Amino acid sequence: MAGEDALPVFSLSSLGFGFSSASSPPPPPPPPCVEVLPSEVSASLSSPLESIPINDKLSLLKGRVNTGDVFAMPNSDLVPGKYEGGLKLWEGSVDLVNSLCSEVQGGRLSLLGKRVLELGCGHGLPGVYACLEGAAAVDFQDFNAEVLRCLTIRNVEHNLRKGRPRLPEGNPQNEGAQQVRFFAGDWREVHRLLLRRADDGGGRHLPGEASSEEHGSLSSSSSSRCYHVILMAETMYSLSSLGNLYDVIKKCLRRQTGVVYMAGKKHYFGVGGGTRQFLRLIDEDGVMEGSLLAEIADGSSNVREVWKISFKSPA
Ligand SMILES: C[S@@+](CC[C@H](N)C(=O)[O-])C[C@H]1O[C@@H](n2cnc3c(N)ncnc32)[C@H](O)[C@@H]1O
């Protein structure tokens, strides 16, 4: 990546923001796809986590967790194929929470009883918001299991301890039924773990064999695991992974009724991705379409956007 002036700014953190050089060697094979259990929360953090209010319901547990401590590699925002930026809170995740709040308050979105997936979750604030708004199930996905163990699980537990998730009115038997799970893995293959039922055999790791869905047919059990809502913030920065990101969405989102809420920068200098590049891909595919919910040009970074992406109505 080019020099300092080409870097997207990360304004919520005093830490800098930068991607590795575009001329780096090809990335190593991705880490294995695995479910991370809440009990695997990392016990060893060098400094305490600080609680920062985001809105009246949600707070961020922010730690000084760096790539040096967690991955034993030089501190960096991105090491392609090894670490993809999840240890920092990026401003798009707060933009996304703000837009979700307006959608819910405006009656245009209800998360009650929904199956929700947050892709590329990092701290997982949008997914935590979905938990608090009464989603029936929220799955958090990150490239790195370490991010889930260090930050995501802690943020979920911290917020759910403080605030009671909204419950459907007149349906008290729903109490305690919310399911929250954590999955690590590359978008190229993590759908196979996400779409597998908890009780359909195998361990918490992805087995080596191909699934039927990879050959084009989703089994009815895996399609019932598809999500009503997919959330993602600042996941579309790299041109080279946009195709895999779109594929995992198409495999995991409920046909016709599913919606994606996406926040990110219009353009990421040096790595070529951005909201507009991702929307171009969607447009070319012709199955889904986006509508702009918010544009944030506060000078803290290049322009950021929040989009809602849904299936086109059948002609
Ligand atoms: C820039 S971080 C954003 C983190 C968080 N959403 C936020 O806004 O604070 C990008 C996220 O996408 C995930 N990610 C990037 N490339 C990925 C890939 N190829 N497969 C799976 N996850 C990936 C990273 O693990 C990371 O959580």
Side-chain angles (χ1 to χ4, degrees):
M1 182 157 193
E4 274 287 290
D5 55 343
L7 302 176
V9 177
F10 177 74
S11 62
L12 285 170
S13 155
S14 55
L15 298 168
F17 184 108
F19 291 110
S20 302
S21 157
S23 59
S24 338
C33 284
V34 56
E35 179 170 1
V36 173
L37 300 179
S39 58
E40 293 174 46
V41 65
S42 170
S44 58
L45 281 184
S46 48
S47 55
L49 295 166
E50 188 189 346
S51 179
I52 300 171
I54 298 290
N55 60 29
D56 56 345
K57 277 184 152 186
L58 192 63
S59 57
L60 162 74
L61 264 196
K62 183 169 172 292
R64 287 192 164 274
V65 185
N66 64 46
T67 47
D69 290 345
V70 178
F71 297 104
M73 59 172 73
N75 204 17
S76 164
D77 284 328
L78 186 87
V79 182
K82 284 193 104 175
Y83 164 63
E84 294 284 348
L87 288 177
K88 290 185 180 173
L89 179 77
W90 293 38
E91 47 210 352
S93 59
V94 178
D95 298 338
L96 183 52
V97 169
N98 289 338
S99 284
L100 293 172
C101 283
S102 327
E103 290 289 284
V104 167
Q105 281 159 14
R108 295 177 295 278
L109 168 69
S110 168
L111 291 159
L112 261 184
K114 300 282 167 61
R115 280 186 58 73
V116 177
L117 169 65
E118 184 177 356
L119 286 173
C121 62
H123 289 70
L125 290 185
V128 172
Y129 177 76
C131 292
L132 294 171
E133 282 299 320
V138 182
D139 289 348
F140 292 84
Q141 175 276 331
D142 199 276
F143 188 76
N144 299 108
E146 293 85 347
V147 170
L148 301 169
R149 292 191 191 111
C150 285
L151 291 174
T152 324
I153 295 173
R154 281 198 163 86
N155 268 283
V156 172
E157 289 182 344
H158 174 71
N159 279 283
L160 296 191
R161 251 196 314 270
K162 279 191 322 149
R164 273 168 60 84
R166 181 186 290 231
L167 290 172
E169 267 170 46
N171 190 7
Q173 69 269 28
N174 229 31
E175 192 157 9
Q178 188 171 62
Q179 193 186 48
V180 178
R181 298 173 76 185
F182 304 89
F183 297 93
D186 193 296
W187 294 324
R188 266 179 287 182
E189 51 185 9
V190 75
H191 61 279
R192 290 164 54 199
L193 198 53
L194 296 171
L195 296 179
R196 209 166 51 165
R197 282 161 49 105
D199 59 353
D200 67 0
R204 295 187 293 117
H205 292 71
L206 194 62
E209 80 278 8
S211 68
S212 60
E213 157 275 331
E214 276 178 311
H215 303 296
S217 64
L218 265 180
S219 70
S220 59
S221 72
S222 60
S223 66
S224 70
R225 289 198 48 79
C226 283
Y227 300 91
H228 299 101
V229 180
I230 295 182
L231 308 174
M232 56 182 199
E234 311 243 21
T235 50
M236 68 306 292
Y237 52 86
S238 167
L239 207 48
S240 63
S241 59
L242 292 187
N244 290 331
L245 179 58
Y246 186 41
D247 279 351
V248 73
I249 288 173
K250 287 215 298 183
K251 284 171 178 151
C252 292
L253 192 63
R254 291 201 180 213
R255 293 289 167 269
Q256 296 313 130
T257 52
V259 284
V260 179
Y261 288 87
M262 139 177 119
K265 298 184 177 69
K266 223 173 182 171
H267 183 70
Y268 294 83
F269 294 106
V271 269
T275 50
R276 295 307 171 108
Q277 279 292 349
F278 189 65
L279 288 160
R280 203 160 298 145
L281 192 72
I282 291 177
D283 210 36
E284 279 163 18
D285 190 44
V287 181
M288 302 180 84
E289 61 193 349
S291 62
L292 182 66
L293 299 182
E295 187 181 80
I296 304 104
D298 58 9
S300 69
S301 69
N302 50 339
V303 176
R304 311 193 301 275
E305 297 180 323
V306 183
W307 287 82
K308 176 179 176 181
I309 300 166
S310 30
F311 286 95
K312 287 182 177 171
S313 337

